[in-house]
Amino acid sequence: MIAEDGISDYGFAKRKAARQLGALAADELPNNAEIEAEVRTYLAVFQDEEHLERQYVMRSAAVAVMRELEPFRPYLTGPVLEGTAGRYSEVEIDLFPESAKEVEIFFLNNDVAYEHREPRRNQPDGPEAILVFDWDDIPFKLRIYSPDVERLNRRGNHGARQMERARLSVVEALINETSAEAHIHP
């Protein structure tokens, strides 16, 4: 489900799989690290070349968007950073502007069509706003946080899954690594 259907919420995927398999006890379910390892294995076996090319394309698009959004302190997060992005994954970027409205004004001034989504409000350091848009047919999700959240070591808990985040220079290095693995010459 995660690799093929684009489900990014590990907790949701576990509950859905448990219902389908009739598993009742939570201790019967794999932990998030085990799931991520299996997703990597699945992608390597069944989508190797396609997966490497997708990683390259999505990370390249992330770099382009991060450059445009540099004033808002962007970080790449999620499956594109982790190397587990499936066919239907979004490029996830966290921003830390002085105000969420700054980002929306930037989008309006640059004629970027986007959709505003309300974030879940049960997260203490959760995003103030979520914006989704397409960049060259690649779906993006921007989570906009207050500036003080940037200093935290980790982002909000997604089903007890601690997520890493990477600045532009790290993503550029990942692109070089991915292009070498896939024998892509930018």
Side-chain angles (χ1 to χ4, degrees):
M1 287 183 285
I2 292 168
E4 289 192 352
D5 299 334
I7 295 174
S8 61
D9 183 333
Y10 282 16
F12 174 76
K14 283 193 244 187
R15 290 187 300 276
K16 186 172 180 177
R19 279 193 306 273
Q20 289 176 354
L21 299 172
L24 302 174
D27 59 348
E28 295 177 20
L29 301 175
N31 65 37
N32 292 341
E34 292 169 325
I35 291 172
E36 194 165 306
E38 289 302 316
V39 168
R40 286 180 196 282
T41 301
Y42 178 90
L43 292 170
V45 170
F46 295 106
Q47 300 177 14
D48 190 38
E49 285 299 315
E50 174 189 339
H51 174 68
L52 290 173
E53 185 176 328
R54 179 175 37 261
Q55 287 299 113
Y56 177 80
V57 168
M58 294 181 90
R59 286 175 175 168
S60 297
V63 164
V65 169
M66 290 173 78
R67 285 181 180 149
E68 291 291 322
L69 299 175
E70 189 67 35
F72 309 116
R73 297 189 311 275
Y75 292 85
L76 180 64
T77 68
V80 174
L81 174 62
E82 296 163 357
T84 58
R87 289 183 180 125
Y88 307 106
S89 295
E90 297 171 308
V91 178
E92 299 177 25
I93 295 179
D94 290 350
L95 300 176
F96 299 90
E98 292 302 315
S99 161
K101 289 292 178 205
E102 286 180 49
V103 179
E104 292 192 66
I105 290 168
F106 176 84
F107 274 30
L108 291 170
N109 288 340
N110 289 284
D111 294 323
V112 176
Y114 68 93
E115 178 185 328
H116 182 105
R117 293 189 185 158
E118 283 299 315
R120 292 185 209 148
R121 296 291 178 191
N122 59 353
Q123 300 169 320
D125 294 315
E128 295 176 0
I130 297 173
L131 305 181
V132 293
F133 64 97
D134 287 345
W135 178 278
D136 292 333
D137 296 324
I138 297 173
F140 275 77
K141 179 192 288 184
L142 301 180
R143 282 183 288 270
I144 304 172
Y145 293 88
S146 71
D148 58 324
V149 175
E150 183 179 14
R151 291 183 284 283
L152 298 177
N153 287 336
R154 63 186 179 101
R155 214 185 57 209
N157 241 348
H158 285 288
R161 182 172 78 158
Q162 181 173 329
M163 295 183 72
E164 299 295 321
R165 58 186 190 206
R167 285 205 174 268
L168 179 59
S169 59
V170 173
V171 181
E172 289 170 331
L174 286 173
I175 288 173
N176 292 333
E177 185 179 299
T178 304
S179 66
E181 286 177 29
H183 308 293
I184 297 171
H185 302 289

